[in-house]
Amino acid sequence: MQENYFHSETVLLGKGLPSGGPWTPASLAAAAPSLLAEQLSLPAAVLSASALQHNLLWMREFAQAYGCQLAPHGKTTMSPALFRMQLDAGAWGITLATAPQTVAAHGEGVQRVLLANQLVGKGNFELIASLQQRDPGFWFACVVDSADNVAALGRYFSARGQQIKVLLEIGLAGGRTGVRDDAQAQAVLDEIARWPDAVALVGVEVYEGVASDEAGVRAMLQRSLAQWQAIRANGGFRRLPAILSGAGSAWFDVVAEEFSVLANDADAQIVLRPGCYLSHDVGIYRQAAERIHASNPIARTMGSSLQPALRLWAYVQSRPEPGKAIIGLGKRDAAFDAGLPVPALHYRPGDAAATAAAAHWKVTAMMDQHAFLELQADDVLQVGDMLCFDISHPCLTFDKWRHLLVVDDAHRVVGAVSTQF
Amino acid sequence: MQENYFHSETVLLGKGLPSGGPWTPASLAAAAPSLLAEQLSLPAAVLSASALQHNLLWMREFAQAYGCQLAPHGKTTMSPALFRMQLDAGAWGITLATAPQTVAAHGEGVQRVLLANQLVGKGNFELIASLQQRDPGFWFACVVDSADNVAALGRYFSARGQQIKVLLEIGLAGGRTGVRDDAQAQAVLDEIARWPDAVALVGVEVYEGVASDEAGVRAMLQRSLAQWQAIRANGGFRRLPAILSGAGSAWFDVVAEEFSVLANDADAQIVLRPGCYLSHDVGIYRQAAERIHASNPIARTMGSSLQPALRLWAYVQSRPEPGKAIIGLGKRDAAFDAGLPVPALHYRPGDAAATAAAAHWKVTAMMDQHAFLELQADDVLQVGDMLCFDISHPCLTFDKWRHLLVVDDAHRVVGAVSTQF
């Protein structure tokens, strides 16, 4: 049932495919090529079907336990098949970062988008206004932290005879976007009030991931909650329930804890926006998951944690020196800004099964198309051996691939998903 | 004439386009949207038509002066329209890094590919063997540095009744791929000799960019030349002229100098493989160009140097603090591994013209979809202003875009090129 998401008829091009083709996710699933039988060109990016399913259900259960709704940040995967999987599993909507991402998601059937950024510039206004005009059933809201931006939105959407929904964004001094203090917030709210037809305030939003520690995160969340309550008290929301939204992929548990004081408030709709839970990783987000599993009472009772679902396969490309292997995997294939890929499995074509990679094998650097793997001189690795790597930072790994293969636990392809970066 | 490369009928999707569509390079050229009139969604990646043309002719003139041929490294742009532009300007072939890149280039009409990597793994063997079978006129050669790899190629291509052309790759101790010494080289040559029908040695190749300084580069090149001469003396090349190839984008002048001792040798074909000259940058490759212009006698007489042709436009997304602007441009849009984007132009919609960005505006960090720009508190930058950025490291900027707009000097779109990563 769930695998239908991975059987589209989109034509796939580029790396990580078998010879022949043109291939589609559906024809790949029918051919069921095997990674271990070398029926694909490497490097290839793979998603574990079972780990995706596990992570999907894990986050649904977690959010439900706190009375929160999910609008997973789609910029991580930009894969509409995964968006549909998330929506069918009960997500309220999809969060996105830009107007073109919104157009791509809408084109693939997404009907509710929270843009976790200001919408800036006439070209981007036009993309959204055109969508709203073509599809009156499409729900879209963006965030605002600037009176200038509200005025620009007001002028544009008013001239188009349209309304744009906005959430006030709370920020942190020294952080990224968002209002720093009450005076900035009030300037934005005052400007919104000047455009009663064109600009509708529907909630408060925060990205707590810019805070440097848990105390900072909690302070941002409490300020956001207080701002939401103040606006509600003043009758400032255009509709009730009004949205209160936070949560990147690292602190979603703390956001759920802090915001769930409103879980039984009929005026409030709490929306969490983690983006990386579906693929997870073994770097920055595994660290976050370990903290969550150790400290969050709900996560502790769930009996399992998120699983890394995104991996990369590549060949040993050269063994030029005893202590070094060059791998056919580079910055063109994997994120490298928050930890380098980590060898997980080793397979020599013809062997019965893949085995765990040696713990001392370590990627020390990457170039565009190559990785440097540090070995011990007597390690058996040879040119043509296959390695499977875990990764850190899924966002910047997804965007290196126009499609990712979906595989079963025997490393056989059961489908694929396209990306639309 | 030259602009025909930018007028294909490929459908474009994703970021950096006007509203409406679907757009193709041809329909974009017909509509000629203006960046300054905000007729496009930002961020957008642009190539200057005039700078591309300048760089194309500059490198042709440089290579001709040294009696060298060009096989520009196509992995930089992975843009077949630019490959055709390079081939029509006299390039002998296109260099690529992987088998899927080769398939993509061949599919767009490229008929001669030098793979500057070992071809490893059955899935990749099959991609190349299928191409050679379907198109006997397609010329393909890869490099080898491992007897194991030669044996694997020999077994596979011999079983297919085909021949694979190879160049011996010279490497550097502590470097990347390539044989480290004469013993390793001889082992590879011995294995090649075991496959007289299936494996044909057609040259010697080196990537000198792994050396740490000019002396190291020259030493690698001299060793490569000596190896080429020794093989020629032993009658080891399958055909004459035999190829001697080097040159990334940083040391192509030194490669031309060292290898041009063979320029009048009828047995030799010198092939340079710079990849980044067409787009150039203001970071690592501008530094290289400054060295070249200061030290190379040919470059000095040419009266001009390479010009940065690849730029990114983005909006000021937020002005949350006096000394900081958040820009709608991130790791999803620009390379960040060899210097962050550098503000070049500032434009406020409605102004008469773009002006030079202030010298003290500095990108201090990037997240996936945002850049942090350091300002002075009284700088005029406001939300909705446009900034044009120069970049460092074109390879990892091109691969963030499925197409790049080609613009004239008035920032009007005159076409586009697709990428095939």
Side-chain angles (χ1 to χ4, degrees):
Chain A
M1 181 60 192
Q2 156 239 342
E3 281 178 21
N4 291 339
Y5 301 112
F6 313 139
H7 292 178
S8 86
E9 297 291 351
T10 308
V11 172
L12 305 174
L13 297 170
K15 41 189 192 174
L17 289 172
S19 181
W23 294 99
T24 65
S27 69
L28 272 179
S34 157
L35 275 157
L36 301 190
E38 294 194 278
Q39 289 168 335
L40 294 125
S41 165
L42 302 186
V46 302
L47 293 167
S48 156
S50 59
L52 283 182
Q53 185 65 16
H54 170 85
N55 294 342
L56 185 74
L57 300 181
W58 191 97
M59 188 59 84
R60 175 168 73 176
E61 186 182 337
F62 182 89
Q64 280 175 347
Y66 279 100
C68 299
Q69 288 177 306
L70 283 173
H73 208 320
K75 65 122 182 167
T76 298
T77 72
M78 274 314 291
S79 179
L82 298 179
F83 298 169
R84 287 194 297 273
M85 195 177 168
Q86 291 169 314
L87 291 167
D88 289 351
W92 168 80
I94 298 293
T95 298
L96 292 166
T98 70
Q101 290 177 358
T102 304
V103 172
H106 177 267
E108 298 277 344
V110 174
Q111 282 290 304
R112 194 180 284 127
V113 169
L114 199 169
L115 191 77
N117 266 323
Q118 295 208 109
L119 182 68
V120 175
K122 211 177 86 184
N124 292 319
F125 295 169
E126 283 185 13
L127 288 179
I128 298 304
S130 299
L131 274 193
Q132 293 195 149
Q133 187 168 328
R134 273 190 290 132
D135 182 358
F138 178 59
W139 189 100
F140 174 87
C142 58
V143 308
V144 289
D145 73 4
S146 147
D148 283 352
N149 182 238
V150 173
L153 290 171
R155 284 192 299 273
Y156 181 86
F157 283 85
S158 147
R160 293 276 302 233
Q162 286 192 18
Q163 187 179 78
I164 179 109
K165 291 183 270 299
V166 300
L167 293 84
L168 175 66
E169 180 167 52
I170 306 301
L172 177 75
R176 196 172 71 183
T177 52
V179 295
R180 280 12 187 188
D181 55 34
D182 290 346
Q184 277 186 29
Q186 196 55 52
V188 174
L189 294 173
D190 289 348
E191 187 63 35
I192 291 172
R194 285 187 194 103
W195 302 94
D197 295 327
V199 183
L201 182 66
V202 300
V204 170
E205 183 269 356
V206 63
Y207 171 57
E208 75 293 335
V210 293
S212 53
D213 57 19
E214 185 172 331
V217 167
R218 288 192 189 271
M220 277 189 94
L221 297 169
Q222 287 156 11
R223 191 155 68 83
S224 304
L225 175 62
Q227 183 73 67
W228 185 94
Q229 287 167 324
I231 295 173
R232 194 239 319 243
N234 293 333
F237 291 122
R238 185 63 59 88
R239 58 152 222 187
L240 292 173
I243 296 166
L244 177 60
S245 174
S249 301
W251 296 103
F252 60 83
D253 62 316
V254 176
V255 177
E257 284 172 30
E258 293 287 344
F259 286 180
S260 62
V261 298
L262 292 182
N264 296 313
D265 186 329
D267 285 356
Q269 181 178 9
I270 309 167
V271 176
L272 306 184
R273 309 189 312 274
C276 297
Y277 70 91
L278 206 53
S279 63
H280 202 53
D281 73 9
V282 303
I284 43 180
Y285 296 115
R286 180 154 76 184
Q287 287 170 31
E290 286 168 357
R291 181 194 56 71
I292 291 167
H293 206 71
S295 65
N296 182 277
I298 297 290
R300 262 205 308 268
T301 63
M302 285 171 65
S304 73
S305 191
L306 295 170
Q307 298 172 1
L310 169 55
R311 286 176 153 180
L312 303 171
W313 284 86
Y315 280 111
V316 175
Q317 182 78 22
S318 181
R319 272 302 313 267
E321 295 174 18
K324 177 186 280 188
I326 308 298
I327 312 300
L329 180 84
K331 294 178 178 177
R332 274 332 193 12
D333 309 302
F336 54 90
D337 66 323
L340 297 173
V342 179
L345 298 173
H346 170 233
Y347 181 72
R348 176 161 300 163
D351 281 359
T355 55
H360 63 270
W361 293 350
K362 191 179 171 202
V363 175
T364 57
M366 291 207 292
M367 296 178 78
D368 288 359
Q369 312 272 172
H370 301 86
F372 293 75
L373 187 71
E374 192 178 85
L375 306 173
Q376 287 170 3
D378 56 352
D379 282 334
V380 294
L381 226 50
Q382 69 188 36
V383 173
D385 283 3
M386 295 162 67
L387 289 171
C388 176
F389 292 86
D390 281 308
I391 58 104
S392 183
H393 202 179
C395 304
L396 292 191
T397 303
F398 270 101
D399 76 358
K400 297 295 186 178
W401 297 87
R402 300 203 179 186
H403 62 268
L404 295 94
L405 306 169
V406 182
V407 296
D408 65 17
D409 295 343
H411 312 294
R412 192 169 279 278
V413 176
V414 298
V417 299
S418 292
T419 63
Q420 296 202 10
F421 289 99
Chain B
M1 179 62 191
Q2 156 239 342
E3 282 177 19
N4 289 340
Y5 300 112
F6 313 139
H7 292 177
S8 87
E9 297 291 351
T10 307
V11 172
L12 306 174
L13 297 169
K15 41 190 191 172
L17 289 173
S19 182
W23 294 99
T24 66
S27 68
L28 272 179
S34 157
L35 275 158
L36 300 190
E38 293 195 281
Q39 289 167 337
L40 293 125
S41 165
L42 302 187
V46 302
L47 292 167
S48 156
S50 59
L52 283 181
Q53 185 66 15
H54 170 86
N55 294 341
L56 184 75
L57 300 180
W58 191 98
M59 187 59 82
R60 174 168 74 175
E61 185 180 340
F62 182 89
Q64 280 175 345
Y66 277 101
C68 298
Q69 287 176 308
L70 283 173
H73 208 320
K75 65 124 183 166
T76 298
T77 72
M78 275 313 292
S79 180
L82 298 178
F83 298 168
R84 287 194 297 274
M85 193 178 170
Q86 291 169 313
L87 291 166
D88 288 351
W92 168 80
I94 298 293
T95 298
L96 291 166
T98 70
Q101 289 177 359
T102 304
V103 172
H106 177 268
E108 299 277 344
V110 174
Q111 281 290 302
R112 194 180 284 127
V113 169
L114 199 170
L115 191 76
N117 267 323
Q118 295 208 109
L119 183 67
V120 175
K122 213 178 85 184
N124 292 318
F125 295 170
E126 285 187 12
L127 288 178
I128 298 304
S130 298
L131 274 192
Q132 293 196 148
Q133 187 169 325
R134 273 191 289 134
D135 183 358
F138 177 59
W139 190 100
F140 174 87
C142 57
V143 308
V144 289
D145 73 5
S146 146
D148 284 352
N149 182 238
V150 173
L153 290 170
R155 284 192 299 273
Y156 181 87
F157 283 86
S158 148
R160 294 273 306 231
Q162 286 193 20
Q163 186 178 77
I164 179 105
K165 290 184 271 297
V166 300
L167 295 84
L168 176 67
E169 180 166 53
I170 305 300
L172 177 75
R176 196 172 71 183
T177 53
V179 295
R180 280 11 188 190
D181 54 35
D182 290 347
Q184 278 186 28
Q186 197 55 52
V188 174
L189 295 173
D190 290 348
E191 188 62 36
I192 291 172
R194 288 190 192 100
W195 302 94
D197 296 327
V199 183
L201 183 67
V202 301
V204 170
E205 182 268 355
V206 64
Y207 171 57
E208 75 293 336
V210 293
S212 54
D213 58 19
E214 184 171 334
V217 166
R218 290 193 188 271
M220 277 190 94
L221 296 168
Q222 286 157 12
R223 193 155 67 83
S224 304
L225 175 62
Q227 183 71 66
W228 185 94
Q229 288 167 321
I231 295 173
R232 194 242 314 249
N234 293 331
F237 291 122
R238 185 64 59 89
R239 58 152 223 190
L240 292 172
I243 297 166
L244 177 61
S245 174
S249 302
W251 296 102
F252 60 83
D253 62 317
V254 175
V255 177
E257 284 172 30
E258 292 287 343
F259 286 179
S260 62
V261 298
L262 292 182
N264 296 313
D265 186 327
D267 286 355
Q269 181 179 9
I270 308 167
V271 177
L272 306 184
R273 310 189 311 274
C276 297
Y277 70 91
L278 206 53
S279 62
H280 202 54
D281 72 10
V282 303
I284 43 179
Y285 296 115
R286 180 154 75 184
Q287 287 170 31
E290 286 169 356
R291 181 193 56 73
I292 291 167
H293 207 71
S295 65
N296 182 279
I298 297 290
R300 261 204 309 269
T301 62
M302 285 171 65
S304 72
S305 189
L306 295 170
Q307 299 172 359
L310 169 54
R311 285 176 154 180
L312 302 172
W313 285 86
Y315 279 112
V316 176
Q317 182 77 23
S318 182
R319 272 302 315 268
E321 295 173 20
K324 177 187 279 188
I326 308 298
I327 312 299
L329 179 84
K331 293 179 177 176
R332 275 327 191 17
D333 310 301
F336 54 91
D337 67 322
L340 296 174
V342 179
L345 298 173
H346 170 233
Y347 181 72
R348 176 160 302 164
D351 282 359
T355 54
H360 63 270
W361 294 350
K362 191 178 169 204
V363 175
T364 56
M366 290 207 292
M367 297 177 79
D368 288 359
Q369 313 271 172
H370 301 87
F372 293 76
L373 187 71
E374 191 178 87
L375 306 171
Q376 287 171 3
D378 56 352
D379 281 334
V380 294
L381 225 51
Q382 68 188 35
V383 173
D385 282 4
M386 296 163 66
L387 289 171
C388 177
F389 292 87
D390 280 309
I391 58 103
S392 182
H393 201 179
C395 303
L396 292 190
T397 302
F398 270 101
D399 77 357
K400 298 294 186 180
W401 297 87
R402 299 201 179 187
H403 63 268
L404 295 94
L405 306 169
V406 181
V407 296
D408 64 17
D409 294 345
H411 312 295
R412 193 170 278 277
V413 177
V414 298
V417 299
S418 292
T419 62
Q420 296 200 10
F421 289 99

